[in-house]
């Protein structure tokens, strides 16, 4: 099943439908509990005693096993296929623990396999061991080594061994630029439209670092430097943007906010549900989640000036 498919129906009547599990949102609460119980059984069958948490497990050596990717896969499978899927996934993860993918890596291979990649900052207990920079509030940029079955991150020592942060980042951006455009959509929203680039690559969402040039490359639209653009990177497989030109900016923010929440919670590799604005001098977070879960838009003086400029220039706005 493709990563963009919808979760299959549980077969319940609408009145009986459960809300999503707060940690594994691709499942209902009861489905998530069944998934966790089955995952614990698979660990035990493979000889591992683990401490279970809502979104991960920790073994006796302190190694952490995240649930999101395999949960997203299982959500699109019949229940009978969950056990073999979990078993196969765990075997791949364990194989990665036992091997150092950097050990036999040549400089040429490192150049070919290195990508700049965006991650959700809160997914890391600490980033001290890894070269990184803030891309936008809540989103960090790291160096990733692309492997056949997984992705490994460069720590400081490995990055230094293969040329350092700047050289590897430049190569990682060049490799992002070489990716194919898999699926480009124009999505209507509240009288506006925004563009969405989607793909099966783990690095499609990370192509956000190529904006605004990416927008010009694939749509032909150029950014007005005094207005800028909107951005949403909900997950590793999608990046969305809107080039600000007129009063449709308001509808675009609304549409992208809804898109971000849905795509963040339903596609593997979540990055951020939020909408950002930039005029080329850094990203400003527009959407924020209140304590009660409500999403609100906070307008800074700089962004307010952009709104006033485009609404004043749009007849009838």
């Amino acid at each position: 099943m493709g990563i963009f498919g919808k979760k299959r129906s549980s077969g319940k009547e609408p009145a009986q439908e459960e809300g999503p599990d707060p940690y594994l949102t691709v499942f209902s609460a009861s489905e998530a509990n069944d998934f966790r119980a089955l995952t614990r059984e698979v660990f035990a069958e493979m000889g591992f005693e683990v401490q279970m948490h809502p979104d991960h497990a920790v073994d006796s050596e302190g190694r952490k096993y995240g649930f999101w990717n395999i949960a997203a896969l299982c959500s699109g499978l019949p229940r009978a296929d969950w056990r073999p899927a979990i078993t196969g996934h765990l075997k791949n993860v364990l194989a990665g623990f036992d091997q150092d993918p950097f050990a036999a890596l040549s400089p040429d291979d490192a150049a070919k396999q290195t990508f700049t990649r965006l991650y959700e900052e809160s997914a890391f207990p600490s980033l001290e061991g890894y070269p990184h920079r803030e891309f936008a509030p809540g989103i960090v940029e790291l160096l990733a080594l692309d492997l056949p079955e997984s992705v490994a991150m460069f720590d400081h020592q490995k990055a230094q061994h293969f040329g350092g942060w700047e050289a590897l980042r430049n190569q990682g951006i060049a490799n992002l630029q070489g990716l194919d455009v898999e699926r480009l959509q124009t999505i209507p929203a509240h009288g506006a439209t925004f563009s969405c680039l989607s793909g099966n690559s783990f690095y499609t969402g990370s192509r956000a670092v190529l904006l605004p040039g990416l927008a010009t490359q694939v749509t032909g639209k150029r950014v007005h430097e005094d207005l800028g653009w909107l951005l949403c990177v909900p997950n590793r497989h999608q990046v969305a943007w809107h080039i600000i030109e007129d009063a449709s900016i308001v509808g675009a923010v609304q549409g992208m906010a809804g898109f971000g929440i849905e795509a963040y919670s339903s596609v593997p590799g979540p990055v951020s549900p939020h909408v950002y604005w930039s005029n080329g001098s850094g990203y400003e977070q527009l959407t924020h989640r209140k304590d009660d879960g409500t999403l609100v838009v906070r307008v800074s003086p700089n962004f307010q000036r952009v709104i006033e400029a485009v609404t004043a220039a749009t007849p009838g706005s």
Side-chain angles (χ1 to χ4, degrees), residues 37-50:
L38 182 57
T39 299
R40 181 193 288 272
E41 290 179 14
V42 172
F43 271 111
E45 290 169 357
M46 299 182 71
F48 290 88
E49 182 177 346
V50 296

Side-chain angles (χ1 to χ4, degrees), residues 25 232 234 254-267 272-275 287 289 293-296:
T25 53
C232 181
Q254 289 180 288
M256 291 176 69
F259 165 81
I261 292 172
E262 171 64 22
Y264 173 81
S265 64
S266 62
V267 178
S272 173
H274 295 297
V275 179
T287 58
R289 199 181 286 276
T294 305
L295 198 72
V296 297

Side-chain angles (χ1 to χ4, degrees), residues 44 66 86 93 124 133 141 151 155 158 176 251 270 273 277 283 287 297 317:
I86 295 170
V93 171
F124 297 88
R133 76 176 185 95
E141 181 182 328
V151 171
D155 59 20
K158 291 181 174 64
L176 286 178
W277 167 70
Y283 280 99
T287 58
V297 177
S317 62

Side-chain angles (χ1 to χ4, degrees), residues 54-171:
D55 60 353
H56 69 279
V58 179
D59 67 17
S60 58
E61 297 181 27
R63 298 181 299 193
K64 181 178 176 180
Y65 304 80
F67 291 160
W68 178 264
N69 288 345
I70 185 58
L73 174 63
C74 287
S75 72
L77 297 174
R79 285 289 183 101
D81 293 338
W82 285 15
R83 182 182 293 274
I86 295 170
T87 301
H89 177 77
L90 181 55
K91 286 180 178 178
N92 286 335
V93 171
L94 290 170
F97 283 149
D98 295 335
Q99 300 172 3
D100 179 1
F102 296 91
L105 194 67
S106 70
D108 286 345
D109 287 338
K112 294 175 184 175
Q113 295 172 226
T114 297
F115 286 83
T116 297
R117 185 171 173 187
L118 300 180
Y119 290 87
E120 184 173 28
E121 185 175 8
S122 62
F124 297 88
S126 173
L127 284 165
E128 291 183 3
Y130 304 94
H132 66 279
R133 76 176 185 95
E134 182 183 84
F135 173 73
I139 303 177
V140 289
E141 181 182 328
L142 292 97
L143 299 171
L145 181 69
D146 188 49
L147 302 169
E149 298 294 336
S150 61
V151 171
M153 288 191 300
F154 285 83
D155 59 20
H156 285 293
Q157 182 179 8
K158 291 181 174 64
Q160 191 62 37
H161 177 75
F162 287 100
W165 162 264
E166 287 297 333
L168 287 171
R169 181 176 184 271
N170 289 340
Q171 185 61 55

Side-chain angles (χ1 to χ4, degrees), residues 96-304:
F97 283 149
D98 295 335
Q99 300 172 3
D100 179 1
F102 296 91
L105 194 67
S106 70
D108 286 345
D109 287 338
K112 294 175 184 175
Q113 295 172 226
T114 297
F115 286 83
T116 297
R117 185 171 173 187
L118 300 180
Y119 290 87
E120 184 173 28
E121 185 175 8
S122 62
F124 297 88
S126 173
L127 284 165
E128 291 183 3
Y130 304 94
H132 66 279
R133 76 176 185 95
E134 182 183 84
F135 173 73
I139 303 177
V140 289
E141 181 182 328
L142 292 97
L143 299 171
L145 181 69
D146 188 49
L147 302 169
E149 298 294 336
S150 61
V151 171
M153 288 191 300
F154 285 83
D155 59 20
H156 285 293
Q157 182 179 8
K158 291 181 174 64
Q160 191 62 37
H161 177 75
F162 287 100
W165 162 264
E166 287 297 333
L168 287 171
R169 181 176 184 271
N170 289 340
Q171 185 61 55
I173 289 177
N175 288 338
L176 286 178
Q177 291 171 328
L179 293 175
D180 293 332
V181 175
E182 294 186 51
R183 184 185 185 195
L184 180 65
Q185 295 173 281
T186 300
I187 301 177
H190 304 282
T193 62
F194 61 91
S195 300
C196 178
L197 182 62
S198 306
N200 287 319
S201 168
F202 276 29
Y203 310 103
T204 301
S206 297
R207 296 177 77 170
V209 302
L210 305 179
L211 287 169
L214 175 66
T216 303
Q217 175 192 344
V218 299
T219 69
K221 284 190 176 183
R222 294 188 176 276
V223 168
H224 302 273
E225 292 184 4
D226 53 336
L227 302 179
W229 65 94
L230 304 176
L231 169 73
C232 181
V233 192
N235 55 70
R236 69 190 182 203
H237 297 288
Q238 295 174 298
V239 54
W241 66 86
H242 170 82
I243 302 302
I244 300 172
E245 298 174 310
D246 52 36
S248 67
I249 180 178
V250 177
V253 171
Q254 289 180 288
M256 291 176 69
F259 165 81
I261 292 172
E262 171 64 22
Y264 173 81
S265 64
S266 62
V267 178
V271 177
S272 173
H274 295 297
V275 179
Y276 301 86
W277 167 70
S278 178
N279 60 1
S281 60
Y283 280 99
E284 179 178 308
Q285 184 175 332
L286 299 180
T287 58
H288 299 262
R289 199 181 286 276
K290 296 170 64 176
D291 291 341
D292 63 1
T294 305
L295 198 72
V296 297
V297 177
R298 295 177 185 166
V299 178
S300 69
N302 286 338
F303 190 60
Q304 180 63 39

